[in-house]
Amino acid sequence: ISLTIQLFGNENFFEVQTQAIEVLSRIGENAQDYLYYLTPCPWLQVKLYRILQMFPPPSNPQLRAKINEMMENVLGRTQVTDNVNKNNADHAVLFEAINLAIHYKDQTNQRLKKGMIELLGKYIQVREP
């Protein structure tokens, strides 16, 4: 899909953006169909966050609020555990959410930005054995 968007421009695919937001919202609300180490659909979440990075922030304030809420949820549920697989899945989703927040620049909630900066600082300070 990224090649298609690059070739034809993202203005022809804005419905994809809305659908990606809706699917991410549903995953966050009640995704019990597929859990990988208690993380709902991590690969799908990563792909959807990457797709959203191909578009400018939505002009609709409700969609922007929904995206900020989803990123706050990701930020709130990501913790370092002893299970490497769970950490990898959670961090993959977290880092793509952070990339989206960076991509959206001023459209990202300030509280969310602060939380992401604090969490990244905490991860940088962790020493691996």
Side-chain angles (χ1 to χ4, degrees), residues 23-86:
V23 171
L24 272 171
S25 176
R26 281 187 265 149
I27 288 172
E29 291 171 358
N30 57 358
Q32 298 301 316
D33 294 342
Y34 180 75
L35 296 174
Y36 180 78
Y37 291 94
L38 302 177
T39 301
C41 309
W43 297 281
L44 180 58
Q45 287 188 67
V46 166
K47 290 293 184 186
L48 292 170
Y49 278 116
R50 284 185 183 172
I51 287 170
L52 289 174
Q53 292 172 42
M54 296 177 200
F55 297 93
S59 55
N60 183 332
Q62 284 114 0
L63 288 178
R64 276 198 316 266
K66 192 178 273 193
I67 290 172
N68 281 322
E69 180 183 337
M70 290 182 304
M71 290 190 289
E72 285 179 11
N73 290 340
V74 168
L75 185 67
R77 72 173 178 249
T78 303
Q79 297 176 354
V80 177
T81 65
D82 291 334
N83 188 317
V84 175
N85 293 328
K86 176 160 180 47

Side-chain angles (χ1 to χ4, degrees), residues 70-118:
M70 290 182 304
M71 290 190 289
E72 285 179 11
N73 290 340
V74 168
L75 185 67
R77 72 173 178 249
T78 303
Q79 297 176 354
V80 177
T81 65
D82 291 334
N83 188 317
V84 175
N85 293 328
K86 176 160 180 47
N87 284 339
N88 289 342
D90 286 346
H91 293 151
V93 174
L94 174 68
F95 293 145
E96 289 306 325
I98 290 172
N99 282 336
L100 182 63
I102 291 168
H103 174 71
Y104 282 177
K105 298 177 183 170
D106 294 336
Q107 300 295 321
T108 304
N109 183 324
Q110 290 299 324
R111 185 179 69 233
L112 178 61
K113 283 184 188 178
K114 184 179 179 197
M116 288 179 170
I117 290 168
E118 289 172 0

